[in-house]
């Protein structure tokens, strides 16, 4: 799948990450029902779960959003803008020792229904996961300025028209 567009944004603090999550959620909730595949890459602590949490909150999930580090997948039910149901699957594949675990876990089924699939550590599933609509790479700022602790950069890459719609909302 060709790369359609790439954009890099600076997130000066956690509030900016929350706003990015809200922008992505706003675009997702007006899409027609379909499988939306979003991958989140970056080192431990880069902010993948924080951004996923912001997306779920902005989609109206009222409760806790736990990191799926141990459960591998956490399902959520929220609503689209028109009130129809929207299923979200939040994955964290960090603990995969082998990409075959993706097939063994039966997670492919989650991509066969209309749902928003948020996948942390997509690299761990190798090529079995397939191309995303949108890929996000979160990176900590390596600068040593006082205000660098919260600063992140995020590189968004759209591979499909759906991904492009999401990217353009950010
Ligand atoms: P990951 O899922 O990538 O391992 P987490 O989201 O669990 O990372 O952790 C990110 C940590 O960094 C959290 O403790 C969060 O409060 C902190 N943080 C600081 N600034 C930011 C920011 N701009 N965006 C996201 N997280 C941030
Ligand atoms: Mg995480």
């Amino acid at each position: 799948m060709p790369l359609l567009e790439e954009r890099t944004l600076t997130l000066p603090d956690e509030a900016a990450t929350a706003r990015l999550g809200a922008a992505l959620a706003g675009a997702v909730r007006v899409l027609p029902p379909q499988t939306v595949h979003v991958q989140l890459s970056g080192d431990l602590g880069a902010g993948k779960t924080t951004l996923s949490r912001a997306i779920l909150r902005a989609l109206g999930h009222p409760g806790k959003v736990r990191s799926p580090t141990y459960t591998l997948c956490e399902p959520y039910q929220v609503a689209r803008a028109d009130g129809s149901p929207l299923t979200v699957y939040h994955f964290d594949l960090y603990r995969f020792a082998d990409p075959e675990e993706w097939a063994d876990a039966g997670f492919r089924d989650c991509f066969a229904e209309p749902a928003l699939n948020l996948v942390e550590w997509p690299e761990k599933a190798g090529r079995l996961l397939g191309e995303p609509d949108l890929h996000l790479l979160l990176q900590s700022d390596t600068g040593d300025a006082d205000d660098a602790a919260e600063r992140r950069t995020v590189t968004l890459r759209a591979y499909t028209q759906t991904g492009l719609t999401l990217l353009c909302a950010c």
Side-chain angles (χ1 to χ4, degrees):
M1 208 94 75
L3 174 66
L4 297 184
E5 181 148 347
E6 177 177 315
R7 186 176 294 175
T8 298
L9 305 172
T10 300
L11 304 169
D13 52 28
E14 219 172 307
T17 301
R19 284 194 296 275
L20 174 63
L24 288 166
V28 167
R29 62 198 296 276
V30 296
L31 288 173
Q34 61 187 282
T35 308
V36 181
H37 179 178
V38 176
Q39 298 183 351
L40 300 111
S41 295
D43 292 339
L44 280 175
K48 303 178 295 296
T49 299
T50 301
L51 179 58
S52 300
R53 192 173 281 132
I55 293 170
L56 279 155
R57 287 266 153 71
L59 285 171
H61 174 68
K64 277 202 162 186
V65 175
R66 290 197 183 80
S67 175
T69 312
Y70 295 98
T71 53
L72 301 178
C73 176
E74 293 282 345
Y76 298 89
Q77 282 295 339
V78 292
R80 290 195 167 73
D82 67 2
S84 65
L86 170 61
T87 302
V88 182
Y89 294 109
H90 181 199
F91 298 93
D92 183 339
L93 309 183
Y94 183 69
R95 296 171 70 83
F96 274 13
D98 189 287
E100 285 299 327
E101 290 182 48
W102 174 258
D104 296 344
F107 289 152
R108 226 187 309 241
D109 294 350
C110 301
F111 286 72
E113 55 174 296
L116 169 62
N117 294 296
L118 301 171
V119 187
E120 296 186 39
W121 293 99
E123 301 81 7
K124 297 278 186 170
R127 300 172 63 151
L128 292 176
L129 195 51
E131 287 266 19
D133 295 293
L134 184 70
H135 179 260
L136 293 94
L137 173 63
L138 283 148
Q139 291 173 292
S140 291
D141 198 306
T142 48
D144 52 9
D146 282 351
D147 60 351
E150 281 196 64
R151 198 184 310 140
R152 304 288 190 268
T153 58
V154 59
T155 302
L156 302 103
R157 294 189 178 98
Y159 291 92
T160 65
Q161 284 301 321
T162 294
L164 196 55
T165 301
L166 300 189
L167 184 149
C168 289
C170 296

